[in-house]
Amino acid sequence: MVFELPKLSFDQDALDPYMSGKTLQFHYGKHHQTYVNNLNNLIKGTELETENLENIILKSAGKDDKIAIFNNAAQAWNHAFFWSCLTANGGGALPDGAFKKAVLKGFENEEKFKEELKAAAVSQFGSGWAWVVADKTDIKIIKTSNADTPLAHHLTPLFTIDVWEHAYYLDYQNRRADYVQTLIDKLANWHFAASRFPA
Ligand code: MN3
């Protein structure tokens, strides 16, 4: 199939000043678009041409001859997922329900959960992602390098933070910790994360 850049659920400047319209213009409009374009070019005429995005990721993961396809497919998926994790007026307390219960089962309290997520995002060396995932009914925090995605490890992504420099450099320069803290406090769409929890 031919993939398209998915529409954002918010205006490009809706996350100002925490994530600027300028950042979205490049990160969504250029970086994300490029992964989608590259993927379309790479699968054209191959046996993966008819597959959906998740199947392309699963069928290319770990294959030496499909590294470029995996990288672009995973980045296309990771970015679409990342935009869903953001909302203006986000952050705040986790919504009541199964997701929050599972967080409190796995972590001392909400604050510790957010601190561990921040620590994973800040400590990821080089480009990559920090994730909240469901491993069956357990909530875990993990990080992945470059394009790697929990989908390739049979984990269910619930929330993510992009820590590639292109995600924060225009707004925060080298201050990745400030970007991560602000995203958690002001932009995190915990309702989306909770809605993904397979309870
Ligand atoms: Mn990115």
Side-chain angles (χ1 to χ4, degrees):
M1 55 197 287
V2 176
F3 295 99
E4 290 180 3
L5 190 65
K7 293 253 184 301
L8 293 175
S9 65
F10 44 80
D11 289 341
Q12 207 160 277
D13 57 1
L15 308 182
D16 256 3
Y18 309 119
M19 186 181 287
S20 67
K22 185 115 183 145
T23 286
L24 266 293
Q25 185 191 333
F26 282 90
H27 193 184
Y28 169 72
K30 304 290 185 194
H31 290 275
H32 189 179
Q33 179 74 65
T34 299
Y35 296 126
V36 172
N37 293 349
N38 287 346
L39 176 63
N40 284 330
N41 290 331
L42 286 162
I43 61 172
K44 200 183 267 179
T46 77
E47 77 277 13
L48 295 176
E49 192 173 32
T50 54
E51 300 282 357
N52 68 30
L53 190 52
E54 299 198 7
N55 280 337
I56 292 174
I57 290 168
L58 292 173
K59 290 183 174 189
S60 62
K63 306 262 170 66
D64 285 345
D65 60 335
K66 293 188 172 64
I67 291 170
I69 289 177
F70 175 80
N71 284 340
N72 285 283
Q75 283 295 76
W77 193 93
N78 290 348
H79 281 87
F81 186 77
F82 177 56
W83 308 129
S84 298
C85 292
L86 305 177
T87 184
N89 305 311
L94 302 182
D96 288 329
F99 170 68
K100 182 173 171 178
K101 270 192 199 146
V103 167
L104 294 178
K105 199 180 100 196
F107 300 82
E108 217 175 290
N109 54 46
E110 261 187 65
E111 286 317 304
K112 270 271 185 279
F113 163 73
K114 291 173 185 171
E115 278 170 26
E116 285 198 32
L117 176 59
K118 181 183 178 186
V122 170
S123 65
Q124 166 57 30
F125 186 76
S127 295
W129 302 80
W131 302 87
V132 179
V133 299
D135 184 358
K136 302 203 170 64
T137 57
D138 291 331
I139 304 270
K140 292 180 177 168
I141 289 170
I142 64 167
K143 48 193 178 177
T144 59
S145 290
N146 299 316
D148 198 14
T149 179
L151 291 183
H153 305 279
H154 306 289
L155 297 166
T156 304
L158 306 179
F159 187 82
T160 193
I161 303 176
D162 186 343
V163 296
W164 285 56
E165 279 190 349
H166 67 223
Y168 58 89
Y169 213 83
L170 291 176
D171 295 328
Y172 299 86
Q173 293 76 50
N174 60 317
R175 293 175 286 115
R176 187 194 286 190
D178 290 351
Y179 155 71
V180 170
Q181 187 71 58
T182 303
L183 190 152
I184 290 171
D185 290 343
K186 304 292 186 184
L187 300 177
N189 188 348
W190 296 125
H191 290 275
F192 173 75
S195 76
R196 301 258 317 160
F197 186 62

